[in-house]
Amino acid sequence: MMNRVLAKRELAPLVTLLEVEAPRIQRRWKAGQFIIIRPLESSERIPLTIVDSDPVRQSITMVIQAIGKTTREAVSLEPQALMCDLVGPLGEPATMTTGKNVVCMAGGVGVAELLPVAKAFHEAGNRVVALCGARSDNYRILDTELQAAVDELHWATDDGTYGFHGNVVQLLQSLAGPDTFQEGHVIGPIPMMKAAAEATRGWNMKLHASLNPVMIDGTGMCGGCRVTVGNEVKFACVDGPEFDAHLVDFDELTRRNRAYREMEQEALAHKCRVGLDVR
Amino acid sequence: MAAPPLKYKPNPKAPRQALPLLDAHVRAHSADEVALGFTPEQVSVEAQRCLQCAKPTCVEACPLHIDIKRFIARLAEGEFQSAHDVISEQSPFPGVCGRVCQHELFCEDACIVGRKWDPVAIGSLERFAADHARLRMKELAASYPKPTGPKVALVGSGPASLIAAYDLVRWNYQVTIFEALHKLGGVLAYGIPNFRLPREILREEIARLQNMGVEFVVDFIAGKTATLKELMEEGYQAIFIGTGAGLPHMMGIPGENLVGVYTANEFLTRINLMEAFKFPDAPTPVRIGKRTIVVGGGNSAMDAARWANRMGSETTILYRRGRVELKARLEEIEHAEEEGIKFEFLAAPVALYGDENGYVKEIECIRMELGEPDESGRRAPVPIEASRHRIPVDTVVAAIGQAPNPTLQKVTPQLITRRGRILIDEQGETSMPRVYAGGDVVRGGSTVILAMKDGRAAAKAIHDTLSSTPEVQ
Ligand SMILES: Cc1cc2nc3c(=O)[nH]c(=O)nc-3n(C[C@H](O)[C@H](O)[C@H](O)COP(=O)(O)OP(=O)(O)OC[C@H]3O[C@@H](n4cnc5c(N)ncnc54)[C@H](O)[C@@H]3O)c2cc1C
Ligand SMILES: Cc1cc2nc3c(=O)[nH]c(=O)nc-3n(C[C@H](O)[C@H](O)[C@H](O)COP(=O)(O)OP(=O)(O)OC[C@H]3O[C@@H](n4cnc5c(N)ncnc54)[C@H](O)[C@@H]3O)c2cc1C
Ligand code: SF4
Ligand code: SF4
Ligand code: FES
């Protein structure tokens, strides 16, 4: 099914927001769920988190960091263009709770993925503190939206150009102790999620991590997205993407996500070659 | 129908015609179809091997009850188009079935000629009729008016739903097929390789349904994109669930998540659906190293092994039982052997070992001996403990079976299931009124033709129900 792009906005260098028409998904999605897209007929299938939706415009919003071939193809779509495929909502919604102190942590493009979850925690009657990380001041995204969604928002930048100088996990350690929060959600690069899990191990807090393994179908059919959680094999696209951060084997996830690294680079180079000369 | 005047004398003693094949050396590096199809001369010989039995047991044995006797007579007379018309009365998929149906278990098993000689090559004759008629697809569909009857939703676009759509649209139902993936055909699209079923054949036979007025919606996951209840509210008067058995079984051995270890589904989806065999011209990669081991003995195992071999990997199939117990189509086993794939029978994996980067590098196996027959009637393999040994390997594919896709069942607790399979009554109806099911989601893994049989039965039940209660609108 072709889906029309309604709007496009660059949030930070290489980070782009796309609003796409998707009436059925708009009606049914919940925070923490994702979609799979194929931007062009010739593209790979890639998963992206649903960040927001608009019932009037019958649309959903995604925020994409252009890191490889497919994400670049996605952000090259202009308003009114048709996205070749868009399927969802996939995965289980984020675990919710009520009446608790909740910390929501994210880094990089994960900040966009965190937004709907933080909002949902807040709407469910929790006190929500969001800790967000960016490389530098100009890489911070969705600050206004987050401000409006949570009780407290803190930023950490790697170079100290805004807010706390350091990463999100260091920020957490500077602000909180074992009993500050009862529940938490973390989403972002694997090393960051792993560090957050390590930092809070032994705290009186449940921490949910939203994982990002390589996926193909997103329907539980291929097993390519499998992760190990507490010695059990899980399919992240249907059992997750969220799991108990303290039980996830992050090292395995890192290795599995690297499986196609050289080939992805080849794919990217291959495309350039086609554009540059005729072999 | 009266028997046609025969212009031939049956000659069952003529040797069964062998399908011309692409040379095994060419195949080794090609995604092209392996079986080339009969020549008209071969058709003439093979069709005349049929005795035109007064009681054609073959027709009874074909789950779709294709009028085999009559279409073979047409072929013998050189009336190739009309042979295709005869098949069309029962099936719009002769190009698919002529290639992938396990005919040795159905029509050909029942063929009278087979009692004394080799059975008539019904599958290959069916395929010939299809290939001959390929260019007529649009014209064929034009003879059907646009449907105007009640709306029926079919979930999944595998063979079960496809044949149900064919029957329902001919009874004037407005049929919509909802498919989770971006391509149509179910296993025919993501599981079975191009070298067995060229994609244009599948596309054209599906396009015929499209031309007849069947609507196809891809990127739609029933239970996720919309629930069954919502579909009913949108005016669908009956629903058929043909979601297949896509959930891969895992081996459950240490090291299974190492890089380079695939389920057959992932391996085949990457290559067939995403066309990784063209990488980097296609965007999705697949990791195939120098040595591949495929674990299992069914169609998926053969398909995965033959792909790995084609992509330049030295490939071995590891199967815990013996050759006679292999479950794949006979033709595929033979083709795999011809192509140089090695078979290790009576062996099973017990562990996988990786290098420091987490890439698989060794598989530990154990030998088996066959013990007492198990519940399936086959002798159960028993491990010989002292026989553990390790083999170097770069790619491992686990093709050890699938269970029904759980997505829809998970959000539809009203559907009663057993071990993931949806339970149905004799009419094909599930525990939810007007919701029917069939194919692999009911049977666990089975075959294309049995899935079609179920789809046809469900279509009939839907028609019986909806036509007897026309007041429900
Ligand atoms: C459930 C889920 C939700 C996601 N949500 C978002 C989102 O909202 N916004 C967004 O920008 N991205 C999101 N991602 C990550 C996104 O899917 C990947 O960035 C994308 O698949 C990369 O494709 P590519 O072809 O552009 O890059 P590739 O060429 O495939 O990869 C480029 C580089 O990124 C690495 N990589 C590949 N896949 C992933 C991955 N899944 N996670 C992390 N690194 C990867 C590769 O190792 C490689 O080094 C999500 C992933 C999952 C599983
Ligand atoms: C690799 C392989 C090779 C095979 N080779 C042969 C062979 O040569 N001969 C033979 O007879 N049999 C063969 N089989 C078995 C045969 O393909 C299956 O028995 C048959 O395809 C089952 O048909 P089906 O219609 O029940 O489901 P499937 O063909 O499995 O189709 C189900 C479809 O439903 C879709 N779906 C699932 N869930 C949802 C949902 N919630 N919403 C929407 N869509 C959904 C899936 O994406 C899929 O496209 C093979 C199987 C495999 C895996
Ligand atoms: S569909 Fe299968 S069983 Fe029926 S005639 Fe064709 S090959 Fe034989
Ligand atoms: S059973 Fe065999 S010989 Fe008899 S009609 Fe059928 S194909 Fe011909
Ligand atoms: S992506 Fe295929 S099973 Fe999860």
Side-chain angles (χ1 to χ4, degrees), chain A residues 14-16 32-36 44-51 61-75 90-91 109-110 112-114 187-190 210-215 225 236-237 240-242 253-254 256-265 267-268, chain B residues 283 285:
Chain A
L14 292 182
V15 179
T16 305
Q33 288 189 298
F34 65 98
I35 49 174
I36 285 202
E44 222 176 333
R45 296 168 65 99
I46 59 159
L48 295 170
T49 305
I50 305 170
V51 172
T61 301
M62 54 203 89
V63 174
I64 306 165
Q65 182 173 28
I67 53 165
K69 188 163 189 273
T70 321
T71 43
R72 288 186 204 185
E73 286 165 347
V75 302
L90 299 169
V109 72
E113 304 171 44
L114 182 72
I187 185 162
I190 300 169
S210 185
L211 306 186
N212 58 352
V214 174
M215 293 186 180
C225 62
C237 69
E242 181 198 283
L253 180 60
T254 306
R256 288 184 62 82
N257 268 14
R258 279 196 199 129
Y260 299 98
R261 181 171 272 180
E262 307 97 61
M263 298 178 101
E264 275 145 4
Q265 270 148 14
L268 206 55

Side-chain angles (χ1 to χ4, degrees), chain B residues 422-436:
Chain B
I422 297 180
L423 294 187
I424 54 172
D425 64 15
E426 308 85 75
Q427 269 67 48
E429 199 171 16
T430 66
S431 48
M432 286 172 80
R434 297 202 176 193
V435 176
Y436 298 76

Side-chain angles (χ1 to χ4, degrees), chain A residues 36 214-226 235-238, chain B residues 248 266:
Chain A
I36 285 202
V214 174
M215 293 186 180
I216 307 177
D217 58 301
T219 67
M221 181 267 272
C222 75
C225 62
R226 57 195 191 273
F235 289 7
C237 69
V238 285
Chain B
E266 181 185 1

Side-chain angles (χ1 to χ4, degrees), chain B residues 23-344:
Chain B
D23 184 84
H25 297 292
V26 178
R27 279 190 237 163
H29 307 286
S30 165
D32 292 347
E33 187 171 18
V34 166
L36 300 175
F38 281 161
T39 61
E41 294 72 40
Q42 285 184 298
V43 169
S44 167
V45 177
E46 190 61 37
Q48 301 203 38
R49 296 187 64 236
C50 168
L51 298 170
Q52 293 291 304
C53 304
K55 274 212 201 134
T57 43
C58 55
V59 177
E60 192 49 45
C62 165
L64 299 180
H65 303 316
I66 291 174
D67 195 337
I68 297 166
K69 170 181 163 181
R70 202 149 50 90
F71 95 71
I72 292 183
R74 294 289 184 273
L75 288 178
E77 292 160 357
E79 299 286 334
F80 300 154
Q81 299 286 12
S82 127
H84 187 255
D85 290 337
V86 171
I87 298 172
S88 289
E89 290 166 15
Q90 301 301 335
S91 165
F93 306 115
V96 170
C97 291
R99 287 174 169 80
V100 303
C101 185
Q102 286 190 294
H103 38 66
E104 71 258 31
L105 303 179
F106 300 99
C107 57
E108 293 187 13
D109 180 50
C111 173
I112 306 288
V113 172
R115 293 198 191 157
K116 230 173 140 184
W117 300 281
D118 288 328
V120 175
I122 302 171
S124 300
L125 288 174
E126 182 181 9
R127 170 191 159 153
F128 178 86
D131 290 355
H132 188 82
R134 266 180 67 192
L135 304 168
R136 275 204 319 155
M137 294 301 178
K138 276 216 171 71
E139 175 204 324
L140 284 172
S143 56
Y144 295 100
K146 268 244 168 282
T148 54
K151 285 167 68 176
V152 178
L154 312 179
V155 182
S157 67
S161 292
L162 290 175
I163 193 94
Y166 185 62
D167 287 353
L168 288 165
V169 78
R170 288 189 297 170
W171 285 320
N172 195 32
Y173 291 93
Q174 298 183 61
V175 182
T176 311
I177 291 190
F178 295 98
E179 168 57 48
L181 296 172
H182 62 269
K183 280 201 189 133
L184 301 170
V187 170
L188 304 178
Y190 76 75
I192 298 184
N194 192 72
F195 56 77
R196 287 216 279 137
L197 175 61
R199 289 306 177 258
E200 60 271 20
I201 305 281
L202 179 61
R203 264 201 309 273
E204 283 167 17
E205 292 193 344
I206 291 177
R208 180 169 171 195
L209 297 183
Q210 239 148 359
N211 292 331
M212 291 171 76
V214 175
E215 213 194 306
F216 288 92
V217 178
V218 295
D219 297 330
F220 184 107
I221 305 178
K224 288 283 189 183
T225 313
T227 60
L228 295 186
K229 189 160 157 279
E230 285 166 326
L231 287 177
M232 290 286 197
E233 285 161 7
E234 289 175 25
Y236 291 98
Q237 311 255 312
I239 298 176
F240 173 73
I241 305 173
T243 49
L247 179 73
H249 289 314
M250 304 301 294
M251 295 182 288
I253 60 175
E256 197 158 30
N257 287 356
L258 289 166
V259 177
V261 184
Y262 289 101
T263 67
N265 273 4
E266 181 185 1
F267 191 74
L268 291 170
T269 300
R270 281 181 178 272
I271 304 177
N272 295 323
L273 185 77
M274 305 309 297
E275 305 190 321
F277 65 92
K278 297 182 185 161
F279 185 87
D281 282 332
T284 303
V286 63
R287 287 188 67 96
I288 300 184
K290 285 204 185 70
R291 287 151 308 196
T292 298
I293 287 190
V294 177
V295 182
N299 282 312
S300 306
M302 298 304 139
D303 288 343
R306 293 174 71 195
W307 263 129
N309 188 54
R310 274 171 174 69
M311 294 175 78
S313 194
E314 201 182 290
T315 306
T316 305
I317 289 179
L318 202 67
Y319 185 48
R320 62 197 181 110
R321 303 179 197 250
R323 188 178 189 281
V324 287
E325 281 93 1
L326 285 172
K327 284 172 295 174
R329 291 176 80 228
L330 202 56
E331 208 181 304
E332 314 313 331
I333 300 168
E334 288 168 4
H335 291 173
E337 287 168 344
E338 285 162 23
E339 286 162 18
I341 288 157
K342 281 185 269 173
F343 286 80
E344 280 276 341

